Amino acid sequence: MADSKTFTLTNDATGESFKFPVIEGSYGPDVIDMRKLYESTNMFSYDPSFTSTASCPSAITFIDGEKGQLMHRGYSIEDLAGKSSFIEVAYLLLYGDLPSEKQLKEFSHNITYHTMVHEQLQFFFRGFRRDAHPMAIMCGVVGALSAFYHDSLDIHDLAQREISAHRLIAKLPTLAAMTYKYSIGQPFVYPRNDLSYAENFLHMTFAVPAEPYKVNPVVAKAMDRIFILHADHEQNASTSTVRQSGSSMANPFACIAAGIASLWGASHGGANQEVLEMLAEIGHKDRIPEFLARAKDKNDPFRLMGFGHRVYKNHDPRAAVLKESCHEVLEDLGIEDPLLELAMELEKIALQDEYFVSRKLFPNVDFYSGIILKAIGFPTSMFTVLFALARTTGWVSQWKEMVEDPGMRICRPRQLYTGAEPRPYVALDKRGASTERKASKSAA
Ligand code: ACO
């Protein structure tokens, strides 16, 4: 990173000028180094939802939202989704390069041999209601991993960081499958070491002890591709949550549980569940105009789920790959899903609508993933769990990169204070009706 360029800010009120270094990245936009802003100007920068803030250096993922470009370690997502397996992509994210054959064999072996979870963890599941949302269970059981793997909690020890990263990538499919089994009242299915990552997950999810289960290769390929497409996405809300949590030196299991909590929200990973619910609510293409009108109405909280993205303002490259997979899976399984037709019609109409065109709102990764997952047999409530499973690889890689950065410090943002100015304390017997009115007004 070169830093010979500078950027000058002028305070119009005083005429004072302040120079800040400009840091060049290896590709994409430069950043203005504002670390000395407060010290120099006595003012903070204000960017509450981080639309213009680079929160960290990272060499893992690059996104150009205008071009609709996504790369991991320099490789395009289209190449990775078309040519690599998820386990290769996990290695790439964690270690920076695609693995050699020997490295891939070793890494796959390590992940495979960490897929079992401590037997005691099963008892945690019994504490949850059967109808609990699977993401609620995931927040709990993933956080609980830190109570089982005391030998890998020291974040300053390279070997411990390594093993906890492998444990998380390996155990998430097992926990996700257990969550599903618990919700439908079936026995947990143990992992099998002769299966690939995606095959093993399908086996643990759909097999029952009463009969053999054969993994459909088309479904396994689509599952693997879905995992690749969700593996990492730069500094999104959940990844930033993982980094923020980890910056205080919290253990990686706790940090990933925090990421899962953030991912659950409807504006983020929760959207894939909401897309299917929305399509079911629309029901028929004749009703599309009614729902588009609702999406455009500022007095109606309804949004077209699976549309729009904070960063992509052209197209979401993951959505294009998934649309292709969606047709492949439905064709192979012989499923004619009216929701797919409805989704394609909705996409076509919205992409011609001035409201969506002018705001650069396109289908995002969640728009088609739900239809594939439904075809494979997952209930909608499991969709975000699958996202969390895949994203764990990205979270762990980002966490590791941060902890291994010698410049790591605790993340501690400041604020624009909008509260009361200093005022004298009022004793209880002196607080009158005017204080009560103010209090109830601000609570409203
Ligand atoms: N439907 C209708 N209008 C929308 C939508 C939508 N899905 N998304 C954005 N808009 C409108 C906003 O109302 C706003 O309009 P305005 O300029 O007239 O006020 C404009 O487009 C810009 O939207 P913002 O909310 O400012 O964009 P932001 O970057 O904050 O939000 C987000 C991005 C959260 C993804 C948003 O587009 C959204 O809510 N989409 C639906 C939920 C969704 O699919 N989330 C998944 C995201 S991808 C992922 O996390 C994997």
Side-chain angles (χ1 to χ4, degrees):
M1 287 190 284
D3 61 353
S4 51
K5 292 194 215 161
T6 56
F7 188 91
T8 305
L9 276 183
T10 305
N11 181 338
D12 290 336
T14 63
E16 271 181 295
S17 283
F18 305 91
K19 254 191 207 331
F20 297 97
V22 168
I23 308 178
E24 289 177 44
S26 51
Y27 192 69
D30 298 342
V31 301
I32 307 165
D33 180 353
M34 305 296 270
R35 281 174 290 186
K36 296 263 188 302
L37 180 74
Y38 178 59
E39 196 181 302
S40 326
T41 64
N42 208 27
M43 279 190 261
F44 297 126
S45 64
Y46 182 62
D47 186 16
S49 44
F50 307 127
T51 36
S52 297
T53 297
S55 60
C56 60
S58 181
I60 300 175
T61 293
F62 175 85
I63 301 174
D64 183 329
E66 295 301 324
K67 286 194 203 148
Q69 180 187 25
L70 167 62
M71 302 188 309
H72 296 314
R73 306 282 192 184
Y75 296 105
S76 78
I77 191 66
E78 291 84 357
D79 272 348
L80 293 172
K83 299 172 187 166
S84 271
S85 66
F86 175 72
I87 213 76
E88 275 182 281
V89 174
Y91 184 97
L92 175 72
L93 293 174
L94 261 181
Y95 300 113
D97 277 308
L98 285 169
S100 66
E101 263 182 54
K102 182 171 169 275
Q103 288 167 328
L104 182 60
K105 212 168 155 203
E106 238 171 68
F107 184 62
S108 301
H109 180 274
N110 280 345
I111 298 300
T112 304
Y113 281 82
H114 278 112
T115 47
M116 281 173 67
V117 294
H118 196 291
E119 203 65 3
Q120 191 79 9
L121 247 169
Q122 293 193 10
F123 300 114
F124 276 63
F125 281 85
R126 292 194 198 154
F128 290 101
R129 285 170 54 140
R130 293 269 175 189
D131 61 354
H133 194 287
M135 283 297 275
I137 301 183
M138 289 298 282
C139 289
V141 293
V142 174
L145 290 177
S146 40
F148 289 89
Y149 301 105
H150 293 155
D151 61 341
S152 63
L153 298 183
D154 180 358
I155 66 156
H156 302 294
D157 181 318
L158 173 66
Q160 295 198 31
R161 284 200 299 275
E162 195 89 346
I163 195 167
S164 49
H166 291 176
R167 278 177 171 154
L168 276 157
I169 295 170
K171 291 181 199 310
L172 255 285
T174 313
L175 292 174
M178 287 170 84
T179 301
Y180 174 65
K181 288 296 196 194
Y182 182 75
S183 73
I184 56 170
Q186 285 186 2
F188 298 136
V189 174
Y190 287 100
R192 262 180 47 190
N193 290 351
D194 60 326
L195 297 177
S196 75
Y197 192 84
E199 288 170 343
N200 193 29
F201 173 62
L202 290 167
H203 156 77
M204 291 187 288
T205 306
F206 296 117
V208 287
E211 60 186 20
Y213 172 77
K214 197 165 173 332
V215 182
N216 175 332
V218 175
V219 171
K221 186 179 154 214
M223 194 77 259
D224 198 70
R225 194 177 263 190
I226 289 179
F227 291 159
I228 294 175
L229 294 172
H230 288 83
D232 191 52
H233 212 230
E234 205 224 50
Q235 307 311 319
N236 55 83
S238 54
T239 304
S240 299
T241 303
V242 169
R243 280 189 179 257
Q244 172 96 17
S245 315
S247 78
S248 70
M249 298 189 191
N251 76 68
F253 303 105
C255 296
I256 302 306
I260 292 175
S262 166
L263 187 76
W264 191 1
S267 296
H268 193 8
N272 55 10
Q273 171 174 352
E274 307 239 351
V275 170
L276 271 220
E277 285 165 5
M278 174 190 77
L279 290 173
E281 199 189 342
I282 298 176
H284 192 275
K285 62 182 181 194
D286 292 352
R287 293 189 70 202
I288 291 176
E290 179 196 326
F291 281 84
L292 287 188
R294 284 188 59 195
K296 295 188 233 175
D297 180 357
K298 295 288 166 215
N299 297 316
D300 188 331
F302 175 79
R303 280 191 164 202
L304 214 51
M305 299 315 284
F307 261 76
H309 197 275
R310 169 60 63 80
V311 181
Y312 292 121
K313 300 298 173 199
N314 179 321
H315 72 280
D316 180 339
R318 303 166 300 172
V321 179
L322 269 184
K323 190 174 175 180
E324 196 188 299
S325 286
C326 195
H327 287 284
E328 269 173 33
V329 171
L330 265 61
E331 204 181 307
D332 185 80
L333 296 178
I335 295 176
E336 278 183 27
D337 190 341
L339 290 189
L340 177 62
E341 266 174 55
L342 187 59
M344 289 195 305
E345 190 64 18
L346 180 62
E347 178 184 3
K348 198 171 107 200
I349 298 178
L351 292 182
Q352 290 163 0
D353 190 299
E354 198 278 329
Y355 174 94
F356 291 90
V357 174
S358 64
R359 288 169 180 76
K360 300 182 175 173
L361 301 170
F362 299 89
N364 57 46
V365 67
D366 291 323
F367 194 67
Y368 282 101
S369 66
I371 296 171
I372 309 183
L373 297 176
K374 178 172 173 266
I376 296 177
F378 291 102
T380 47
S381 60
M382 278 296 288
F383 293 179
T384 318
V385 171
L386 301 190
F387 194 158
L389 184 174
R391 185 54 61 84
T392 294
T393 303
W395 288 332
V396 161
S397 306
Q398 300 267 353
W399 168 83
K400 190 167 164 287
E401 181 182 62
M402 179 187 70
V403 173
E404 291 173 1
D405 178 351
M408 173 178 114
R409 294 173 77 195
I410 189 167
C411 296
R412 175 57 171 90
R414 301 302 301 269
Q415 62 177 11
L416 170 66
Y417 177 65
T418 57
E421 290 181 25
R423 52 182 170 164
Y425 183 78
V426 183
L428 183 58
D429 61 346
K430 299 277 184 312
R431 292 173 214 163
S434 62
T435 335
E436 276 169 30
R437 267 200 305 276
K438 260 193 223 153
S440 59
K441 225 178 183 179
S442 59

